[in-house]
Amino acid sequence: MLARTITLEAMQEKEEFILKTEETPEDRMHFKNQSFLYDHRDHLCVELTINGEAIFLRSGILIDRQYMDKEDTSKRERQPYLLKENCAFMQLNCTAYMNQKEGVLAKRKIIAIGSKLFILMDEFYPVGIHTYEQIFQFSRKKAVMISGNRVHYEGEKICMDMYYMSGDMTTDGSISMIPGGMSTGEGTITDAISVRKEGGAFRSLLSVLHCYEKGMTHSIEIRKLVPESFKRGTMNDQQVEALEITMGEKRIIVSISHLDVLENADLFRVGDCNGFGNVLVFDASSEEKKPIVLR
């Protein structure tokens, strides 16, 4: 669908994935769900390198600003995954926060479309009142700007724009310095997004990551769509979330259902595309608009 061929490897006996680019093997996304090491970002963690340049050192979740017990032995789960027509789907679940009195099941889904466009979906299934936070740790100092729902990262050779697509995702606009961890010897830039939801209701955090070469002309437009099931009618954000992404003449529609709410025979429409499935990618700029079913 987009330039450069990607490969997806699920590491045996570990809850992690390696997404690589065949043409440039040094380009990769490492998606892992490790046990507690030395900070919370090791859970549902993403590390991203494009054109050989590190963008995310780590990107993970924090719930209620509490560190977990180092002896935590809660189960982590690697879910079904798929690589199809240069699109990849990955999912990891984390039950580490379920040991609390009012626990939370956390899930992270990632869709890769080609090698430079990613959709990141975090889902939280809670009991009680919680604050959910995504933490993105970048590789360079003074390289991040925040404007509205957009975070812009400018590296030496690569830029990345990250767009918050859930209406209640908020950031206070601050960029803080934190240590780079075991593998780096300097401070790094971190952006934290905090969202509060009361009453134990489901919460999702949806973002789009677009990477491109520095100095290159690029354009991207992203908007939320409202899916309609022929069986159930209009779907809300707690059931199905959909995006339309336009990049020049290329138009892509992505649909992600929560808890696999759509049945196999549940035909639904999003934008000008029709399909079956719980995770779909459409090349909406093509005449056929045939869906790529990733789950």
Side-chain angles (χ1 to χ4, degrees):
M1 180 171 285
L2 294 178
R4 300 206 298 177
T5 303
I6 58 175
T7 62
L8 179 63
E9 177 184 359
M11 305 299 288
Q12 295 297 320
E13 299 180 358
K14 293 182 180 180
E15 289 74 39
E16 57 184 305
F17 300 97
I18 302 289
L19 185 75
K20 296 182 180 179
T21 305
E22 285 190 352
E23 292 85 346
T24 51
E26 69 275 14
D27 296 355
R28 55 187 262 159
M29 170 182 277
H30 190 187
F31 179 25
K32 55 189 176 180
N33 197 358
Q34 297 179 341
S35 299
F36 190 102
L37 292 179
Y38 60 96
D39 67 24
H40 59 268
R41 284 173 300 280
D42 292 314
H43 290 277
L44 302 179
C45 173
V46 175
E47 299 171 348
L48 179 63
T49 298
I50 300 292
N51 281 8
E53 180 177 342
I55 297 176
F56 290 145
L57 295 180
R58 290 171 304 199
S59 164
I61 63 165
L62 176 63
I63 300 178
D64 297 333
R65 292 188 171 272
Q66 295 179 1
Y67 290 91
M68 288 171 286
D69 181 29
K70 290 185 179 181
E71 301 302 320
D72 170 48
T73 58
S74 55
K75 185 179 179 182
R76 289 140 181 91
E77 303 170 325
R78 187 179 67 206
Q79 296 296 296
Y81 58 94
L82 188 65
L83 175 65
K84 188 175 182 181
E85 298 184 38
N86 217 31
C87 294
F89 172 74
M90 300 159 274
Q91 178 177 330
L92 294 175
N93 294 352
C94 177
T95 62
Y97 292 98
M98 295 183 71
N99 291 341
Q100 302 177 27
K101 181 179 179 181
E102 296 184 336
V104 180
L105 171 62
K107 301 183 178 185
R108 172 165 283 186
K109 299 175 180 178
I110 296 178
I111 299 172
I113 305 174
S115 59
K116 294 183 179 179
L117 183 64
F118 307 94
I119 291 91
L120 190 154
M121 171 74 81
D122 284 346
E123 301 174 340
F124 302 99
Y125 300 86
V127 176
I129 301 170
H130 299 278
T131 299
Y132 311 110
E133 193 171 10
Q134 295 172 322
I135 297 183
F136 298 97
Q137 183 178 358
F138 293 89
S139 62
R140 302 182 73 213
K141 298 179 181 178
K142 299 179 181 179
V144 174
M145 295 182 294
I146 302 174
S147 176
N149 74 326
R150 172 175 169 261
V151 172
H152 174 72
Y153 165 82
E154 185 170 312
E156 294 182 0
K157 301 176 291 183
I158 290 293
C159 294
M160 185 199 71
D161 290 326
M162 180 167 60
Y163 300 87
Y164 310 148
M165 299 308 301
S166 297
D168 50 7
M169 295 174 72
T170 60
T171 174
D172 61 8
S174 64
I175 300 170
S176 53
M177 304 298 296
I178 64 174
M182 294 180 176
S183 60
T184 60
E186 59 180 355
T188 53
I189 295 175
T190 297
D191 174 45
I193 308 163
S194 297
V195 178
R196 180 175 290 277
K197 178 70 175 181
E198 296 186 359
F202 166 81
R203 171 60 60 212
S204 65
L205 304 179
L206 175 61
S207 301
V208 176
L209 283 58
H210 176 222
C211 304
Y212 52 94
E213 295 181 16
K214 189 174 179 178
M216 296 292 289
T217 302
H218 76 285
S219 66
I220 184 169
E221 296 179 8
I222 309 169
R223 67 186 184 104
K224 292 285 290 284
L225 299 177
V226 179
E228 294 184 8
S229 166
F230 285 77
K231 185 177 180 180
R232 308 182 187 202
T234 301
M235 311 293 284
N236 61 42
D237 278 359
Q238 296 205 355
Q239 297 171 311
V240 182
E241 294 186 69
L243 298 171
E244 181 184 63
I245 304 171
T246 304
M247 306 168 64
E249 296 182 356
K250 180 69 70 175
R251 187 166 61 92
I252 300 164
I253 289 179
V254 179
S255 176
I256 306 170
S257 75
H258 302 299
L259 280 180
D260 293 343
V261 69
L262 295 172
E263 301 171 359
N264 291 336
D266 197 349
L267 176 65
F268 74 104
R269 183 174 184 84
V270 54
D272 54 352
C273 298
N274 299 324
F276 301 89
N278 284 286
V279 177
L280 299 177
V281 176
F282 297 89
D283 183 354
S285 53
S286 70
E287 196 170 314
E288 298 84 4
K289 297 180 172 58
K290 181 180 177 182
I292 299 171
V293 182
L294 298 175
R295 180 158 180 153

